[in-house]
Amino acid sequence: MSWPVLADERNCTACCACVATCKKKALKKILQNDGHYYIAIDQNRCVQCGACEKVCPIINGKDYGNNDFLATVPYKGWSNLASYRTNGTSGGIFGAVAYDFVKSGGIVIGAALLHNECKHIVVEKIEDISRLQGSKYMYSDQSGIYDVIKEKLKEGKRVLYSGLPCNVAGILSFFSNHPKKDNLYTIDLVCGGIPSTLLQNCFFKIYPNSQILSFREKQEYSLTYLHNEEKECAGYRNPLISGFLSGLTNRYSCYHCKFAYLHRNSDLTLGDYWQKDIENQQPASLILVHSNKGKELVASENIHIEKAEWKDFLPYNPKIAVRDIEWDKRWERKNLSYIYHKFPTYIFNVIYASMFKKYDAFAIVYLVYKKMCYFLEKRRRHLFVMDILKNIYQHRNQ
């Protein structure tokens, strides 16, 4: 026997399936200097059973998806329930799906903001569904969720889990042999990566004693927060929004994502339905239906859906299928921890959040370089997506 080999820091997603499966509690999350959580082994507790290796979606080698466009049906849509459409970031589809699920006796699990932290929680009441709506550009704590799902499935409950693709991969791997796995429904999201918690630290240096309320106002990235019991807006240019959009603080695993595909093992993928001339369009959700259970989830009078064409949205939301971005090699990511701990907060914010003072020569030169990098990456993504679309429509014309 030997010590288990878990996903290393370049590949670990912190889905915590390994932590949940360890009966000896020999694994735990550790927050490292780059502001990301990784898994550590307590060799005094580990009995070398290998259960953690078998459940890890990175180590066990099980495929999460592929780009078989014939296996997935794309839709755009929105909630017919006004409150969920208003509270949702785009079309409010998740709120409507959760409403029907809870109303039929199921429970819903998703990410919620709790005291400036993001955590997956259980919702069993319709009035609590709104807590799960809206984008949260933060790492979500999964602590205890695997045990909750296990208990609810044992009780015969239907469970709907919503999370990032890597989260869902962990859930599906953990429950792959569960006798009641057919009662487990999953929704994953179009993901832009998991940003470092260092961005949160910087935000609260600028806005101390604040409570984050939301990250988006429909298509507009705009952070709102509560300060001295008054609602205020930090707009777009702040560590949490600009820092997230920069992509320069993401987990290393996000730069070579193993879960971004057109077709996935989740039942649904939800995201923003972005297209050309989006300013003239009403906010809508992108819905990728991957399974019969996915069809069941959106077959509701509370949901309006209409067939969509890949060519109409994929060029404007390439993160659906683009898995590789070489920014793990950029000096900003390699030196993330060093810059945060050794340089003034102002320098950190210039580099990672594009926040700078007027006439700052260093900032101006750096931001020009940064824009050039983004332009080249955007071009690369576009070519990758065009290649996918070419394959789709060549197949249709045969």
Side-chain angles (χ1 to χ4, degrees):
M1 298 177 70
S2 59
W3 299 115
V5 178
L6 298 179
D8 60 21
E9 292 186 3
R10 306 287 300 188
N11 294 287
C12 177
T13 66
C15 72
C16 292
C18 58
V19 176
T21 203
C22 182
K23 296 180 180 179
K24 299 297 181 181
K25 300 188 184 304
L27 302 175
K28 61 179 178 180
K29 289 192 308 181
I30 299 291
L31 184 63
Q32 300 286 35
N33 287 337
D34 68 350
H36 290 290
Y37 288 96
Y38 301 97
I39 308 303
I41 302 174
D42 183 347
Q43 294 186 353
N44 294 320
R45 288 177 175 268
C46 180
V47 294
Q48 302 177 355
C49 67
C52 53
E53 292 177 312
K54 295 175 183 176
V55 79
C56 174
I58 298 296
I59 298 296
N60 64 24
K62 295 180 181 177
D63 291 331
Y64 183 73
N66 53 59
N67 282 333
D68 181 3
F69 66 93
L70 295 175
T72 285
V73 183
Y75 296 91
K76 72 173 180 179
W78 50 84
S79 169
N80 289 327
L81 300 171
S83 61
Y84 295 122
R85 192 169 180 181
T86 300
N87 291 333
T89 303
S90 47
I93 287 292
F94 173 75
V97 168
Y99 172 86
D100 289 331
F101 205 86
V102 172
K103 193 173 180 181
S104 67
I107 69 160
V108 178
I109 296 172
L113 280 173
L114 299 172
H115 310 296
N116 291 326
E117 300 289 341
C118 190
K119 181 177 175 59
H120 266 62
I121 65 170
V122 178
V123 165
E124 300 184 78
K125 299 178 181 178
I126 288 174
E127 56 265 32
D128 291 332
I129 291 172
S130 61
R131 298 176 65 189
L132 306 183
Q133 288 190 273
S135 299
K136 296 102 180 170
Y137 302 128
M138 305 164 74
Y139 169 76
S140 184
D141 182 8
Q142 306 281 315
S143 298
I145 288 301
Y146 288 85
D147 289 336
V148 170
I149 296 175
K150 189 191 303 182
E151 186 62 32
K152 295 300 181 181
L153 290 177
K154 184 179 178 181
E155 293 172 4
K157 289 270 191 179
R158 293 164 71 240
V159 177
L160 173 61
Y161 175 91
S162 172
L164 303 181
C166 53
N167 299 150
V168 174
I171 292 292
L172 292 177
S173 180
F174 187 91
F175 291 100
S176 60
N177 296 317
H178 196 282
K180 295 185 178 179
K181 65 180 180 181
D182 287 344
N183 281 346
L184 176 61
Y185 295 69
T186 56
I187 296 175
D188 69 9
L189 309 172
V190 178
C191 177
I194 301 174
S196 171
T197 58
L198 299 181
L199 296 176
Q200 295 165 239
N201 298 346
C202 286
F203 176 83
F204 290 113
K205 287 180 181 178
I206 302 171
Y207 304 96
N209 305 314
S210 299
Q211 179 184 342
I212 301 168
L213 298 178
S214 66
F215 292 81
R216 286 265 298 271
E217 295 292 336
K218 294 301 182 186
Q219 288 103 331
E220 182 182 357
Y221 290 94
S222 182
L223 190 137
T224 57
Y225 63 97
L226 202 63
H227 183 67
N228 293 331
E229 299 185 358
E230 290 190 11
K231 186 176 179 180
E232 299 187 25
C233 179
Y236 159 85
R237 199 152 317 264
N238 60 75
L240 286 175
I241 299 294
S242 297
F244 164 74
L245 292 173
S246 79
L248 293 173
T249 75
N250 285 353
R251 297 186 68 87
Y252 277 115
S253 59
C254 298
Y255 298 120
H256 300 284
C257 178
K258 294 176 172 58
F259 311 103
Y261 293 100
L262 301 185
H263 177 66
R264 307 178 182 186
N265 289 345
S266 59
D267 298 308
L268 292 179
T269 295
L270 298 181
D272 299 300
Y273 187 85
W274 287 335
Q275 62 186 87
K276 192 174 181 180
D277 299 325
I278 190 171
E279 294 84 1
N280 301 319
Q281 305 290 329
Q282 64 178 359
S285 297
L286 170 68
I287 310 153
L288 302 181
V289 177
H290 304 302
S291 69
N292 288 329
K293 288 200 289 186
K295 292 179 186 178
E296 177 188 336
L297 289 173
V298 295
S300 166
E301 62 181 13
N302 295 319
I303 295 173
H304 171 87
I305 60 172
E306 49 192 68
K307 281 277 186 73
E309 285 289 336
W310 294 102
K311 63 181 176 61
D312 292 334
F313 63 85
L314 194 57
Y316 309 100
N317 206 338
K319 293 172 185 176
I320 296 167
V322 174
R323 295 181 296 283
D324 294 308
I325 174 173
E326 299 299 323
W327 286 1
D328 54 329
K329 298 182 176 68
R330 284 182 60 165
W331 62 268
E332 297 99 323
R333 181 59 183 90
K334 288 182 176 181
N335 296 288
L336 172 62
S337 174
Y338 183 82
I339 292 171
Y340 176 80
H341 291 99
K342 299 295 183 180
F343 283 74
T345 300
Y346 172 75
I347 297 298
F348 183 92
N349 287 336
V350 168
I351 295 171
Y352 299 100
S354 301
M355 298 172 64
F356 60 97
K357 297 174 183 176
K358 198 173 183 180
Y359 306 124
D360 183 333
F362 162 75
I364 293 171
V365 171
Y366 171 72
L367 292 177
V368 170
Y369 155 78
K370 196 175 183 181
K371 281 186 177 292
M372 289 175 60
C373 291
Y374 282 126
F375 173 80
L376 293 173
E377 174 56 26
K378 185 176 180 179
R379 176 63 178 168
R380 189 194 68 82
R381 291 186 187 188
H382 178 75
L383 293 175
F384 180 84
V385 167
M386 290 300 105
D387 190 50
I388 290 178
L389 291 174
K390 180 181 177 181
N391 291 335
I392 289 175
Y393 290 100
Q394 277 183 343
H395 184 277
R396 287 189 179 178
N397 292 330
Q398 288 177 355

